Amino acid sequence: MIANSIDLAISLLQSNELVAIPTETVYGLAGNAYSEEAILKIFQVKQRPKFDPLIVHTYAIEHIYDFVAEIPEIALSLFEKLAPGPVTILLPKKNNIPDLVTSGLNQVAVRIPNHPLTLELLSLLPFPLAAPSANPFGYISPTSALHVEMQLGNKIKLILDGGESQVGVESTIIGFEEGKPIIYRLGGTAIEALEKITGKLLIRESTSSPTAPGMLKSHYAPHKPFLLGNISTLVAANADKKIGVLSFDEIYNDVELCYRLSPAGNMQEAAKNLFKCLRLLDMSNVDLIIAELVPDENLGKAINDRLRRAAY
Ligand code: TXA
Ligand code: MG
């Protein structure tokens, strides 16, 4: 059910049920982060492999200490400057976070999401919320309550409706190796903005090996065949098919369907539209989706990361 009752959300979460919650990045599938029973349900409903750990959400920096042993100075200054917002930081966990949440790792991913409804919900609960994106594992992430309803509606009791996600790509994930900050996932906070706080950042390569949780090469993928490259060339090479195009800012005629991420070439707008457009193309009558990379700057880096994984 889609509704915006915080009271109902609280009572469900307190009985270890799941609730889909809005965030500025994508919708999350939330459960009590301290409850193994609730966490197990998250993995079941998403059909998510247990080696892929979950992000824990709270509403204020001081509450991170409820479940984290220590916050290094750089992490604290990142949170002070950027939270609430689309940034997630890996920190040493306390024992109240079940191993199931972190896939057995001793670091937990922490984030303060920037959405008024979810911040209010978090402030009224006596526990933080573990929440992966509210999509079946591997599929396109949801940026509206309706997207969640279409795929998980029969498996969860409540989808809190907070409107369309304003950022549209998942949070940027930062960890530390030998004290140095490293990007584990490109996302809604641009690397350029982070580097103003941290100095030059390394980016960890994706992998298909399950020993590096959550960095799987194939992800965010539509069900239809999906090709990434030069749109005109790919369209010409597939002239016998019904084609749907996802372009950055240009219109392509002579294809069945064409969505532009941002007619004005605005990167924020492009990020906000990315998953919605991919989903619309996947739900349409085309045989094949053809897309192009966007300029590789600011949020464009996160958009290109998602496009590459969708095509892998
Ligand atoms: O914007 C977001 O981050 C959204 C909203 C709902 O908050 N959440 C999200 O969660 O994208 P999910 O489950 O789709 O992605 C979580 C990723 C994992 O795949 C993994 O890469 C990383 O976070 N992660 C979580 N805990 C980790 C840990 N302890 N060590 C390394 N990576 C971790
Ligand atoms: Mg996800």
Side-chain angles (χ1 to χ4, degrees), residues 36-304:
E36 286 208 8
E37 185 190 336
I39 304 306
L40 274 173
K41 283 185 188 162
I42 293 178
F43 283 97
Q44 270 161 17
V45 166
K46 259 195 84 109
Q47 300 278 304
R48 181 179 176 114
K50 300 260 171 43
F51 61 73
D52 197 8
L54 308 177
I55 296 174
V56 174
H57 299 70
T58 185
Y59 64 99
I61 294 174
E62 57 270 27
H63 283 283
I64 296 174
Y65 292 100
D66 295 350
F67 56 94
V68 156
E70 195 197 330
I71 311 183
E73 217 166 295
I74 311 179
L76 198 58
S77 87
L78 283 168
F79 274 134
E80 278 165 354
K81 296 193 169 96
L82 302 170
V87 60
T88 294
I89 306 184
L90 302 177
L91 297 168
K93 80 177 191 74
K94 283 186 178 165
N95 286 337
N96 52 2
I97 296 289
D99 284 339
L100 204 51
V101 170
T102 62
S103 304
L105 301 167
N106 46 29
Q107 306 250 311
V108 60
V110 182
R111 151 161 152 80
I112 302 177
N114 190 14
H115 193 289
L117 199 59
T118 291
L119 285 172
E120 189 187 350
L121 172 65
L122 285 163
S123 75
L124 295 170
L125 288 168
F127 45 78
L129 291 174
S133 49
N135 51 297
F137 182 71
Y139 193 62
I140 304 163
S141 302
T143 53
S144 74
L146 194 62
H147 294 168
V148 183
E149 169 82 13
M150 287 190 290
Q151 288 190 296
L152 301 180
N154 58 351
K155 296 188 176 157
I156 51 179
K157 296 204 171 105
L158 176 65
I159 301 162
L160 264 190
D161 190 356
E164 243 184 280
S165 296
Q166 292 301 305
V167 174
V169 289
E170 294 85 348
S171 59
T172 304
I173 302 181
I174 300 173
F176 295 89
E177 287 175 21
E178 285 155 17
K180 286 206 191 83
I182 293 190
I183 304 238
Y184 282 77
R185 178 175 73 184
L186 293 162
T189 300
I191 186 164
E192 289 87 342
L194 292 167
E195 285 183 335
K196 283 194 188 133
I197 302 168
T198 59
K200 186 80 190 144
L201 284 166
L202 292 173
I203 303 176
R204 252 287 194 91
E205 283 289 306
S206 301
T207 165
S208 45
S209 136
T211 54
M215 303 179 67
L216 301 170
K217 279 186 171 166
S218 167
H219 217 74
Y220 314 103
H223 299 312
K224 299 207 160 155
F226 179 84
L227 297 177
L228 190 59
N230 180 286
I231 292 178
S232 304
T233 311
L234 290 171
V235 166
N238 289 279
D240 54 327
K241 303 205 176 75
K242 227 181 235 179
I243 296 171
V245 161
L246 183 61
S247 76
F248 177 46
D249 54 358
E250 272 179 62
I251 274 273
Y252 288 81
N253 297 309
D254 306 325
V255 289
E256 183 75 11
L257 205 54
C258 175
Y259 287 110
R260 293 186 283 175
L261 288 177
S262 171
N266 174 298
M267 213 53 97
Q268 250 115 5
E269 183 182 39
K272 188 180 166 194
N273 286 328
L274 174 68
F275 288 138
K276 177 174 69 184
C277 292
L278 255 184
R279 190 178 281 266
L280 285 169
L281 285 163
D282 206 29
M283 286 165 49
S284 75
N285 65 339
V286 303
D287 306 320
L288 171 67
I289 304 169
I290 290 175
E292 65 183 352
L293 293 173
V294 305
D296 205 51
E297 56 195 41
N298 292 300
L299 291 192
K301 290 192 203 296
I303 296 173
N304 288 340

